[in-house]
Amino acid sequence: MPWYSTTSWMPCSHSMWSTLELGPVKSWNGLVLRKPIDMEKRELIQRQEATLLDLRSYLFSRQCTLLLFLQRPWEVAQRALELLHSCVQELKLLEVSVPPGALDCWVFLSCLEVLQRIEGCCDRAQIDSNIAHMVGLWSYAMEKLKSLGYLCGLVSEKGPNSEDLNRTVDLLAGLGAERPETANTAQSPYKKLQEALSSVEAFEKHYLDLSHATIEMYTSIGRIRSAKLVGKDLAEFYMKKRSPQKAEMYLQGALKNYLAEGWALPVTHTRKQLAECQKHLGQMENYLQTSSLLASDHHLTEEERKYFCQEILSYASQQEDNPGHKVVLPMHSFARLKDLHFDPPNAVVHAGGVLTVEITVCSQMPIPVHVDQIAVNVHFSIEKNNYRKTAEWLTKHKTSNGIITFPAEASLFPASQNSLPALELSEMLERSPSDNSLHTTGIICRNVHMLLRRQESVSSLEAPSGLALEDGAHVLKCSSVTLQPGANKIEFRTQAKEPGTYTLRQLRASVGPVWFVLAHIHPIVQYDVYSQEPQLHVEPLADSLLAGIPQKVKFTVTTGHYAVKNGDSLQLSNVEAMLILCQAENRAVVYSNSREECSSALLRIQSSDKVTSIGLPTAPAYHVIEFELEVLSLPSAPAAGGDTSILGTPEPHRKQKDMQRTDHCMVTTDHKVSIDCPWSIYSTVIALTFSVPFRTTHTLLSAGTRKYVQVRVQNLSELDFELSDSKLEDMGHAVDLRLTPLNTQSQQLIHSKQSVFFVWELTWTQEPPPPLHCRFSVGFSPASEERLTVSLKPYTYEFQVENFFTLYSVRAEILPAAGAEYCRTGSLCSLEVSITRLADLLDVDKDEALVESEEYFSTKLMYEVVDNSSNWAVCGKSCGVISMPVAAQATHRVHMEVMPLFAGYLPLPDVRLFKYLPHHSAHASQLDADSWIENDNLSVDKHLDDQLDCSSVRSRGSTHSASSSEHKGLPMPRLQALPAGQVFNSSTGMQILVIPSQDDHVLEVSVT
């Protein structure tokens, strides 16, 4: 409380202080304000016989007269309160001898005198509107009257004794005779004090009147805190008077105020008073709740805490004969839930499985407490389609370690000290005006209005809890537990039954009929029970299964609710192209639902022509059976219908890109296996995808009329293989065909991502030779492994080669200009193309291009000169149609001019041959084929669009197109490519020397 001083308005010199009588106080008759000048005290001052109280009283009476004359009565009340507090403090500092109770009488009389003086000069309306200035005096008077009542024995249970009566007589004697100006006043301060001290009943009446009036005033001006504090004093009085029913209301109000403002020690003290009050009233439930709060309150001594804890235990032991009666109390004062741990950690268990829930409870009691039962009420719920949820799905929504930590209980004080502003304290010093000596010191709080701000709408924590025990069929129980002070671990075990979600809702502990209940467990704690159908899962151990070598496949049987019995087996349907390898050391391992190994046993495998039976080891429900088997898929490459790559006929550029894109992709083969399981009447179909580790292509090579077959084997896998016993067989068994191998090594190592080539020379005795149907086979085995226990089938690849004999020989030759020794850049050179027929009329020539004349047969061919490397510029027509006699050694020569664009050894341009076929319509016979050539408009089969490169033709104004706007609606001829084996270009790979030109001009060349 701030300190106040009245020295600032004392109109006396320092010499007067030295003449004051500082002897014992003998008179305490209070202030005199009813006459302008107190002549009696004035004379004492003049005779230098006045005491400190006389001087203060005289000075204040004169000041009061002036303030009332100035119509400032409310300032009188304010200064009077300051005067009274200052006088009490000055007497203590000066160590003036004052009889016990004398100052209380002086203050009580002075407060009432000031109040009656103000009421005498103001009307009722003014008084009601200025209660805030007067309530301090009412409260001070009440405090002093209370102090006098305790001092004189008026509040004790037995009433005042002789010593108390003597003290009362002495105090009344010190008042002296009543002044004449108040002698006729019925309610004068003198009469009120004399009456209040005369008897116990009178004191009670006057004290209660003052207390109720003060509470009403504080409430009317909004000072609820002060009203509650006065009520607490009133409650103490009622407890002394053995009226606990009246005291309880005031104690609850004070406790609510302390809790709202966060005063821990006053809360503890008020609770002790409230507990006593509730005990006297027989409110056992409220008393037990308050006792539990006090037993866990660390502001009390250990003995006090044990006393209140024992009160709870004593009540519980006394009520054992009445088992139906229950007292439900909140758990936060008894114990605190710290954490919870699930086993299994994912809090997911199958139907019939065992779940363990371990909770850590911190007991707040000072002594060990034997608890009859600790139970957790569980709420069961089932969602739609919950039966479809597997353990894996449910685990995704759980904590990884299965531990759930609960936050500490919120502070019992809504307005915690941390939320309040910091104290702004400053020092206050008062020095003497004469010698500057220090005579008063203290501290003052400058933000007291912020610290003592009232907290509105705060509910009392001492109100009845209204808790209810939840009833349910699902309860986790643990009986006969002794909770030691501090942390205690309690374990619940339950067997899961019905699938669904179980939510832990309420924790409760019973000590006899007393139940401590945690109404809601937060955060939400749940565990799930699932029922799973048996499942079979088959997966390869490697990233991909390779055909041709043994591969391990893992079988996983999740038993679910099915218990595997002795004699149960899996029936696998055999697939012709896939073998199941039976090994004696194959074992099956049984795991529990938590992946702990339970047992292992040898697999019983029996195989027949159509079915392979795998005997399963016995396993309980909700277990996992795992075993591995080796499977072998027979290796074979997809059959090639024709020549996949033939020298002399390059594939279209677009198709080459497609081949490059798929060049590293292995061909896959799916094998579907039907499995009959003992727990189902339906078969389970699984698909195993095997990748062929090799990619095989064949090529027909020509050297004049000699033919060679080349087979390329490319290893696309990550393994290295050993190749052996390569063979190329004629599936048609033609007697006039023979394949002579040119490979000398019987075994070859092929590394990952590499290729191996095999070559055979093809000879025949019959002209023309028949089509060739070949099958290539080669043995292989992994190079890094030891000898396998099973013999591997060779890798096979089948293909056909047709029309592989040579019909035409093409030769190109470039000659320098006349008189020049070498070709020069920018100079025209002569290109001579010679096309020679090597065989007479054959069946392959009998098509639409064949023309019969009187002397011989002829066929129309189209030639085209193409330079894809842009080294040459073809001058004139780059293509044309010729009529070629169908006779051996018939030759046709074509001459044209070309110009080299670069110097150096340049490869010769390519020469291509096509069959020139007329249109099928009747209009085709009416059109001259040469007219089409003159216009350079040709209809090319769609599959040849990418093969024909006519850049040189386009440079001369000719265009290959599927249709022409100039001849729209007219029939167009067609081109058909000759098989590459039928055309041999002897100029392929030849180069000619071109020297730079000696001219000084610059030749611009566009390179694309």
Side-chain angles (χ1 to χ4, degrees):
M1 177 179 293
W3 283 39
Y4 301 92
S5 175
T6 59
T7 58
S8 58
W9 47 266
M10 183 182 69
C12 297
S13 64
H14 179 66
S15 60
M16 182 175 291
W17 285 100
S18 61
T19 61
L20 288 176
E21 179 67 35
L22 297 180
V25 176
K26 299 179 181 179
S27 175
W28 42 87
N29 54 2
L31 296 174
V32 178
L33 304 179
R34 298 180 187 265
K35 50 186 180 180
I37 300 175
D38 188 352
M39 298 304 297
E40 180 181 353
K41 289 184 174 56
R42 183 175 181 144
E43 293 175 357
L44 291 175
I45 295 173
Q46 290 176 347
R47 295 196 304 265
Q48 296 183 356
E49 296 177 0
T51 63
L52 178 61
L53 287 181
D54 295 333
L55 177 62
R56 288 296 194 193
S57 300
Y58 175 76
L59 293 176
F60 183 77
S61 65
R62 297 296 296 135
Q63 189 181 34
C64 176
T65 302
L66 293 174
L67 291 174
L68 293 176
F69 180 77
L70 295 174
Q71 297 183 357
R72 292 156 62 182
W74 318 121
E75 192 171 342
V76 173
Q78 178 182 352
R79 297 199 180 197
L81 190 60
E82 295 175 0
L83 168 71
L84 298 177
H85 283 288
S86 297
C87 287
V88 172
Q89 296 298 327
E90 287 172 353
L91 291 174
K92 290 181 180 180
L93 292 174
L94 296 174
E95 298 181 354
V96 176
S97 177
V98 181
L103 277 181
D104 295 334
C105 292
W106 181 78
V107 171
F108 178 80
L109 293 173
S110 299
C111 287
L112 294 186
E113 179 72 12
V114 173
L115 291 172
Q116 290 184 2
R117 185 73 180 90
I118 294 175
E119 291 175 354
C121 63
C122 298
D123 55 18
R124 192 71 226 172
Q126 289 178 319
I127 294 175
D128 292 341
S129 62
N130 291 276
I131 291 178
H133 298 90
M134 302 170 61
V135 68
L137 293 172
W138 284 103
S139 177
Y140 205 13
M142 179 203 67
E143 291 178 10
K144 295 307 177 182
L145 184 59
K146 172 188 173 184
S147 178
L148 288 172
Y150 280 93
L151 181 66
C152 298
L154 299 174
V155 187
S156 63
E157 298 178 2
K158 298 179 180 180
N161 52 26
S162 58
E163 184 180 354
D164 296 331
L165 293 176
N166 292 333
R167 188 180 296 114
T168 303
V169 172
D170 293 341
L171 290 175
L172 293 177
L175 298 178
E178 187 177 6
R179 298 183 182 92
E181 57 269 18
T182 61
N184 297 325
T185 305
Q187 295 294 328
S188 66
Y190 183 89
K191 290 186 177 64
K192 283 190 175 183
L193 179 58
Q194 193 175 32
E195 182 181 354
L197 298 180
S198 62
S199 66
V200 174
E201 292 77 8
F203 172 81
E204 181 178 350
K205 175 181 178 300
H206 284 281
Y207 177 69
L208 291 179
D209 290 344
L210 274 177
S211 298
H212 288 301
T214 304
I215 292 174
E216 183 179 354
M217 291 180 188
Y218 274 133
T219 305
S220 65
I221 62 176
R223 293 177 59 177
I224 306 299
R225 180 189 301 109
S226 299
K228 298 295 183 183
L229 297 181
V230 175
K232 183 174 182 295
D233 294 337
L234 192 57
E236 293 178 359
F237 173 78
Y238 280 129
M239 291 299 296
K240 289 285 186 179
K241 303 300 289 184
R242 291 190 176 277
S243 298
Q245 67 277 5
K246 297 180 180 180
E248 183 191 15
M249 176 182 65
Y250 295 106
L251 289 175
Q252 289 283 11
L255 181 60
K256 176 181 177 181
N257 184 70
Y258 291 143
L259 286 171
E261 297 182 359
W263 300 103
L265 290 176
V267 164
T268 302
H269 180 261
T270 307
R271 275 182 179 153
K272 288 175 61 179
Q273 294 176 314
L274 184 62
E276 183 182 359
C277 177
Q278 292 167 345
K279 187 174 183 181
H280 281 93
L281 291 175
Q283 299 175 356
M284 293 311 300
E285 183 172 349
N286 293 338
Y287 175 66
L288 293 176
Q289 180 177 347
T290 307
S291 298
S292 66
L293 291 169
L294 291 171
S296 61
D297 195 337
H298 293 277
H299 294 98
L300 293 177
T301 63
E302 194 73 14
E303 293 300 323
E304 289 177 312
R305 293 180 61 197
K306 290 180 179 179
Y307 167 77
F308 287 107
C309 181
Q310 198 62 45
E311 286 286 289
I312 300 174
L313 300 180
S314 299
Y315 175 83
S317 61
Q318 294 172 4
Q319 298 295 323
E320 290 181 355
D321 299 335
N322 187 13
H325 178 68
K326 291 182 180 179
V327 178
V328 181
L329 303 178
M331 182 172 283
H332 65 84
S333 59
F334 176 72
R336 182 177 69 85
L337 182 60
K338 183 179 180 182
D339 57 49
L340 180 145
H341 177 253
F342 281 112
D343 186 21
N346 58 3
V348 177
V349 64
H350 58 79
V354 176
L355 176 77
T356 301
V357 182
E358 183 184 78
I359 63 173
T360 301
V361 176
C362 293
S363 175
Q364 312 274 34
M365 297 293 104
I367 60 176
V369 178
H370 181 77
V371 179
D372 298 333
Q373 183 186 90
I374 294 182
V376 179
N377 184 273
V378 181
H379 175 72
F380 170 72
S381 63
I382 183 169
E383 299 179 8
K384 186 179 180 180
N385 297 331
N386 188 72
Y387 63 91
R388 296 183 179 177
K389 296 180 180 179
T390 62
E392 292 77 8
W393 188 93
L394 293 170
T395 303
K396 294 179 181 178
H397 307 274
K398 303 294 182 180
T399 56
S400 57
N401 56 2
I403 299 177
I404 299 173
T405 303
F406 298 93
E409 291 287 340
S411 173
L412 296 180
F413 307 119
S416 63
Q417 299 298 329
N418 295 331
S419 63
L420 296 177
L423 290 173
E424 296 180 6
L425 300 177
S426 59
E427 184 181 19
M428 188 194 73
L429 303 175
E430 288 190 1
R431 300 183 181 274
S432 173
S434 59
D435 58 358
N436 200 30
S437 62
L438 179 67
H439 68 88
T440 303
T441 183
I443 57 174
I444 186 170
C445 179
R446 298 188 180 277
N447 62 338
V448 65
H449 62 288
M450 296 293 295
L451 294 171
L452 300 182
R453 179 179 296 170
R454 177 172 173 250
Q455 301 290 329
E456 298 290 347
S457 303
V458 179
S459 60
S460 174
L461 297 179
E462 306 302 306
S465 58
L467 297 173
L469 295 175
E470 292 187 1
D471 295 329
H474 304 279
V475 179
L476 305 180
K477 298 180 181 179
C478 187
S479 301
S480 187
V481 179
T482 300
L483 294 182
Q484 300 291 337
N488 300 266
K489 292 188 178 297
I490 303 168
E491 186 178 280
F492 303 92
R493 292 176 63 87
T494 180
Q495 186 171 16
K497 295 180 180 179
E498 188 175 355
T501 300
Y502 293 80
T503 305
L504 277 60
R505 295 278 290 270
Q506 191 180 80
L507 176 66
R508 56 200 187 202
S510 64
V511 181
V514 181
W515 288 78
F516 295 94
V517 178
L518 178 61
H520 302 286
I521 298 178
H522 185 78
I524 296 176
V525 181
Q526 295 177 332
Y527 67 89
D528 293 281
V529 178
Y530 68 95
S531 177
Q532 187 175 0
E533 295 293 327
Q535 294 180 353
L536 172 63
H537 185 61
V538 182
E539 60 180 347
L541 292 182
D543 294 336
S544 62
L545 297 175
L546 295 180
I549 58 176
Q551 298 287 279
K552 288 188 176 181
V553 177
K554 180 180 179 181
F555 285 73
T556 303
V557 177
T558 303
T559 62
H561 59 75
Y562 180 81
V564 180
K565 303 179 294 296
N566 189 17
D568 288 346
S569 62
L570 301 178
Q571 305 292 329
L572 281 68
S573 62
N574 293 338
V575 181
E576 293 182 1
M578 188 186 74
L579 303 178
I580 299 177
L581 306 181
C582 303
Q583 296 183 359
E585 63 274 10
N586 283 338
R587 301 185 68 86
V589 182
V590 180
Y591 296 94
S592 66
N593 199 37
S594 58
R595 294 301 299 176
E596 296 179 359
E597 183 175 342
C598 298
S599 62
S600 63
L602 288 174
L603 279 179
R604 306 183 307 274
I605 303 178
Q606 297 178 354
S607 182
S608 63
D609 294 339
K610 296 183 178 181
V611 176
T612 298
S613 177
I614 303 175
L616 298 176
T618 58
Y622 295 100
H623 279 60
V624 178
I625 303 174
E626 291 184 355
F627 58 89
E628 298 175 3
L629 291 181
E630 284 192 342
V631 294
L632 177 63
S633 175
L634 301 182
S636 62
D643 300 342
T644 60
S645 178
I646 301 178
L647 189 63
T649 306
E651 296 184 359
H653 185 62
R654 174 177 55 81
K655 294 182 179 179
Q656 288 181 1
K657 284 187 177 181
D658 293 342
M659 289 185 62
Q660 291 173 3
R661 190 162 51 245
T662 60
D663 199 36
H664 299 288
C665 296
M666 293 183 281
V667 178
T668 59
T669 303
D670 290 338
H671 296 296
K672 293 185 178 180
V673 181
S674 177
I675 304 178
D676 292 334
C677 303
W679 54 80
S680 175
I681 61 174
Y682 302 102
S683 298
T684 301
V685 178
I686 62 171
L688 296 178
T689 301
F690 290 84
S691 301
V692 180
F694 304 121
R695 180 177 182 268
T696 308
T697 58
H698 68 277
T699 306
L700 180 65
L701 305 177
S702 300
T705 58
R706 300 180 65 179
K707 300 296 179 179
Y708 301 88
V709 178
Q710 175 184 278
V711 178
R712 176 194 179 190
V713 178
Q714 183 181 6
N715 183 7
L716 301 178
S717 69
E718 301 295 332
L719 301 178
D720 297 340
F721 290 95
E722 187 81 24
L723 302 182
S724 60
D725 300 331
S726 59
K727 295 180 182 180
L728 185 62
E729 300 175 343
D730 178 20
M731 301 298 293
H733 303 288
V735 296
D736 52 352
L737 286 177
R738 189 174 67 174
L739 294 168
T740 305
L742 301 182
N743 299 76
T744 58
Q745 298 181 2
S746 60
Q747 292 186 347
Q748 285 183 295
L749 181 65
I750 179 171
H751 294 281
S752 174
K753 310 302 180 184
Q754 291 187 356
S755 300
V756 172
F757 295 86
F758 301 91
V759 181
W760 284 265
E761 182 177 2
L762 178 59
T763 59
W764 61 90
T765 58
Q766 178 187 349
E767 292 289 348
L772 181 62
H773 183 196
C774 299
R775 182 174 69 181
F776 168 75
S777 63
V778 62
F780 70 99
S781 62
S784 59
E785 297 184 5
E786 299 179 357
R787 183 179 298 275
L788 298 175
T789 58
V790 61
S791 59
L792 303 180
K793 299 291 184 180
Y795 171 75
T796 59
Y797 169 72
E798 295 185 7
F799 60 92
Q800 291 184 354
V801 180
E802 297 179 350
N803 300 326
F804 54 84
F805 47 86
T806 304
L807 283 182
Y808 298 98
S809 174
V810 179
R811 179 178 178 82
E813 184 179 5
I814 294 179
L815 300 175
E821 183 177 2
Y822 299 102
C823 294
R824 293 180 179 273
T825 58
S827 299
L828 294 177
C829 301
S830 175
L831 171 63
E832 181 176 330
V833 178
S834 176
I835 303 173
T836 303
R837 170 92 182 185
L838 301 182
D840 292 326
L841 181 64
L842 301 175
D843 291 339
V844 296
D845 296 317
K846 297 177 182 180
D847 53 18
E848 299 175 9
L850 185 65
V851 179
E852 182 180 359
S853 62
E854 296 179 357
E855 299 179 357
Y856 56 87
F857 288 93
S858 64
T859 184
K860 287 185 179 296
L861 299 178
M862 175 184 171
Y863 67 89
E864 182 181 20
V865 179
V866 179
D867 181 25
N868 290 327
S869 59
S870 301
N871 292 323
W872 302 88
V874 180
C875 302
K877 296 180 179 180
S878 62
C879 57
V881 177
I882 62 174
S883 180
M884 189 70 185
V886 183
Q889 301 304 318
T891 303
H892 190 92
R893 290 181 175 83
V894 178
H895 297 274
M896 60 184 66
E897 291 182 338
V898 295
M899 178 187 295
L901 303 179
F902 301 99
Y905 284 95
L906 302 182
L908 272 62
D910 295 333
V911 180
R912 300 178 182 177
L913 284 184
F914 303 92
K915 275 195 175 185
Y916 187 85
L917 303 176
H919 196 271
H920 293 285
S921 66
H923 298 283
S925 59
Q926 300 176 8
L927 299 174
D928 186 5
D930 293 335
S931 64
W932 298 105
I933 300 302
E934 292 297 331
N935 289 296
D936 287 340
N937 291 318
L938 300 176
S939 174
V940 185
D941 285 348
K942 189 174 183 180
H943 68 281
L944 296 175
D945 289 346
D946 294 328
Q947 293 183 357
L948 298 179
D949 185 357
C950 296
S951 59
S952 60
V953 179
R954 286 193 292 270
S955 66
R956 302 294 297 172
S958 301
T959 305
H960 288 284
S961 62
S963 63
S964 173
S965 60
E966 297 178 5
H967 302 278
K968 187 174 182 181
L970 296 179
M972 303 293 292
R974 296 177 294 111
L975 297 181
Q976 178 180 334
L978 290 171
Q982 293 183 359
V983 180
F984 175 71
N985 194 337
S986 60
S987 302
T988 301
M990 292 181 60
Q991 294 179 337
I992 186 171
L993 176 62
V994 178
I995 61 177
S997 175
Q998 295 180 353
D999 297 339
D1000 295 332
H1001 70 274
V1002 177
L1003 177 64
E1004 294 184 1
V1005 180
S1006 177
V1007 180
T1008 59

